[in-house]
Amino acid sequence: QRFPVVVVGAGPAGLTVGNILRAASVDCLVLETETREFVEQRPRAGVIEEWAVRGLEKRGLARNLLDRAELHTACEFRFEGERFRFPFGELTGSHHFVYPQPLLVTDLLREYADVRGGQVRFGVRDVRLHDIDSDRPSVSYTCPETGEQQVVHCDFVAGCDGARGVTRASLPPERVRVARHDYGTGWLALLAEAPPSADCVLFGCHANGFAGQMPRSPEVTRYYLQCPPGDDPENWPHDRVWAELQERLGATGVPPLTEGRLIEKRVLDMHDYVVEPMVHGRLHLAGDAAHLVAPIAAKGMNLALHDAFLLGDALVAHLNDGDDSGLGGYAQACLRRVWDYQEFSQWLAEVFHGPASGDPFRAGTSIARLRRLFSSPLAAAAFAEKYLGTAARH
Ligand code: RFL
């Protein structure tokens, strides 16, 4: 078997690359360890930045999203018992789209496989890359139905297999640099079968710890509660979760949150990393495989899409027109936005976590950062640009 490109991973990054290739009539094979049903239902992100939506639209990938996504033009901070609405839409003319990741993945998969005729194998095992520093790389995997090993020869491998994937392990260990940042805290990530209690994202900065509300749909809302790192979700029964959410997101004049059954409860170990190089020989990493950003500022899927646009376009330019400039500048162009978003996440994490740090100095500076957003138009504009991702251009 031979394909010009093998894409490892059917998440937002891999499926976007696959769609761009198929639109230019480049054959590719997507390999995915999970089943189709699983990837179409995995709940995760929900906030997509406007530039990313325009990037999807330009490539014919945003039809359902534009019909169904909600537009958000503000977020709200709650601290010291008060609410502070931050109208980022008015400040920048730009907004966020809220569209759950499983819907986007479903759209991308249908377009890739059912409309553009792209090939994908689900449920594969033992994915391994071979000879990626030669011009004849290959990828082997075990077929779920037969248990037989298959080898696919290709020109390029797109490593889009997320934070727990295998492609990154093919980088030469002596050349790999992993820059890592650990926030020293956990977040309990929750999905509640309840409508959102406010029409926008809520950030509660409280002495008990951070709490957040991210609307997902009229029926389901994501909540976060800061918790000790490595905490057991079993320590958070229904009543404790809602009591803490009510307290940390409470403010003068706001009604209590609408409670509901908790359908997901996971403790996230809050950390970031950036793996370099993103490129080795014929392997190009994209998305969480190359860089993870904790879900503090809802940036991860946006970065995955940014990489995928650049990689898909660069592979098409190389394979169809012999133009190498996109591939040559790929890693540098990705990393500018990656580092910009990492810096913003780190800044915002300090605002979220400072009040509960137990250190009155950090608590004081966190509240000062928050108050500045509502007293200085320049600080507000700078925050809005970073929150919306409009400040990062390459
Ligand atoms: P994905 O989505 O993890 O997809 C990788 C795919 O590769 C498969 N895979 C393999 N396939 C073949 N061979 C192997 N050996 C493989 N190993 C793994 C996996 O099954 C999977 O299908 O990576 P990708 O495409 O880079 O996309 C990244 C995004 O999914 C991620 O950054 C976001 O979900 C992060 N994130 C958020 N990002 C946002 O932009 N906005 C948000 O609001 C937001 N909220 C979140 C989030 C992530 C969360 N989790 C995972 C901690 C909320 C949460 C709770």
Side-chain angles (χ1 to χ4, degrees):
Q1 273 187 309
R2 185 173 172 78
F3 287 86
V5 181
V6 173
V7 176
V8 184
L15 291 170
T16 302
V17 171
N19 270 296
I20 295 172
L21 295 172
R22 287 304 305 140
S25 302
V26 175
D27 273 336
C28 65
L29 173 67
V30 173
L31 296 175
E32 167 61 50
T33 44
E34 302 291 350
T35 62
R36 182 166 185 163
E37 296 67 38
F38 184 89
V39 301
E40 287 187 343
Q41 283 165 23
R42 182 169 38 204
R44 278 191 181 171
V47 175
I48 312 183
E49 296 176 352
E50 189 169 1
W51 62 266
V53 172
R54 299 298 160 224
L56 289 166
E57 187 183 17
K58 195 175 128 193
R59 293 165 180 86
L61 299 171
R63 222 167 305 118
N64 287 342
L65 190 162
L66 290 170
D67 277 353
R68 296 193 208 147
E70 277 186 39
L71 300 189
H72 280 201
T73 56
C75 60
E76 191 170 306
F77 291 91
R78 296 186 176 172
F79 58 97
E80 297 190 322
E82 302 294 328
R83 63 196 290 196
F84 300 83
R85 198 166 171 91
F86 187 81
F88 55 77
E90 276 169 34
L91 293 168
T92 60
S94 184
H95 48 259
H96 272 158
F97 288 76
V98 174
Y99 193 62
Q101 182 166 338
L103 295 187
L104 180 67
V105 167
T106 302
D107 293 348
L108 292 173
L109 197 45
R110 294 210 176 135
E111 182 70 24
Y112 171 75
D114 306 338
V115 180
R116 302 188 186 182
Q119 298 214 38
V120 51
R121 307 241 196 294
F122 291 101
V124 300
R125 295 275 164 261
D126 313 320
V127 174
R128 289 204 184 95
L129 314 191
H130 311 276
D131 305 320
I132 51 160
D133 41 12
S134 77
D135 54 9
R136 306 227 133 254
S138 61
V139 182
S140 63
Y141 65 94
T142 303
C143 185
E145 295 87 21
T146 61
E148 276 172 25
Q149 202 195 47
Q150 306 279 334
V151 179
V152 189
H153 297 276
C154 56
D155 298 318
F156 289 95
V157 179
C160 306
D161 48 349
R164 296 197 184 84
V166 296
T167 57
R168 172 166 86 224
S170 297
L171 300 173
E174 66 285 0
R175 284 196 48 218
V176 179
R177 191 190 71 165
V178 183
R180 204 182 139 94
H181 179 70
D182 201 326
Y183 293 98
T185 187
W187 275 19
L188 184 68
L190 303 150
L191 276 177
E193 247 173 15
S197 298
D199 61 349
C200 67
V201 168
L202 301 179
F203 298 123
C205 305
H206 192 276
N208 288 8
F210 169 77
Q213 178 213 250
M214 280 80 195
R216 286 292 188 255
S217 72
E219 298 83 31
V220 174
T221 305
R222 186 174 277 296
Y223 286 98
Y224 292 111
L225 279 171
Q226 186 184 350
C227 64
D231 204 357
D232 183 346
E234 294 308 310
N235 292 337
W236 292 89
H238 180 95
D239 291 350
R240 182 179 179 206
V241 164
W242 284 108
E244 277 299 315
L245 286 170
Q246 299 287 7
E247 173 153 9
R248 298 184 195 182
L249 287 168
T252 311
V254 302
L257 305 172
T258 309
E259 302 187 2
R261 195 165 69 94
L262 299 169
I263 51 175
E264 188 190 71
K265 201 161 63 170
R266 298 201 299 135
V267 172
L268 309 179
D269 154 38
M270 297 297 278
H271 67 280
D272 306 320
Y273 61 70
V274 180
V275 178
E276 288 185 68
M278 283 178 69
V279 180
H280 178 66
R282 294 301 180 100
L283 169 65
H284 292 70
L285 299 179
D288 282 10
H291 40 74
L292 189 82
V293 51
I296 288 166
K299 295 293 193 189
M301 185 162 71
N302 293 287
L303 287 177
L305 292 172
H306 186 247
D307 291 358
F309 296 153
L310 293 171
L311 182 56
D313 292 350
L315 286 169
V316 168
H318 173 87
L319 291 164
N320 285 0
D321 307 320
D323 173 359
D324 283 341
S325 55
L327 284 179
Y330 169 69
Q332 201 192 9
C334 296
L335 288 167
R336 289 230 178 112
R337 189 175 284 269
V338 168
W339 282 114
D340 190 80
Y341 283 20
Q342 296 284 19
E343 188 281 331
F344 179 59
S345 296
Q346 201 189 14
W347 185 93
L348 192 58
E350 183 55 22
V351 171
F352 290 167
H353 300 148
S357 62
D359 174 349
F361 191 88
R362 280 180 65 191
T365 51
S366 297
I367 298 298
R369 283 185 182 183
L370 281 168
R371 291 211 174 275
R372 192 184 298 131
L373 298 182
F374 299 93
S375 61
S376 157
L378 283 178
F383 178 87
E385 274 196 337
K386 289 180 236 173
Y387 189 60
L388 289 157
T390 50
R393 298 215 175 82
H394 59 267

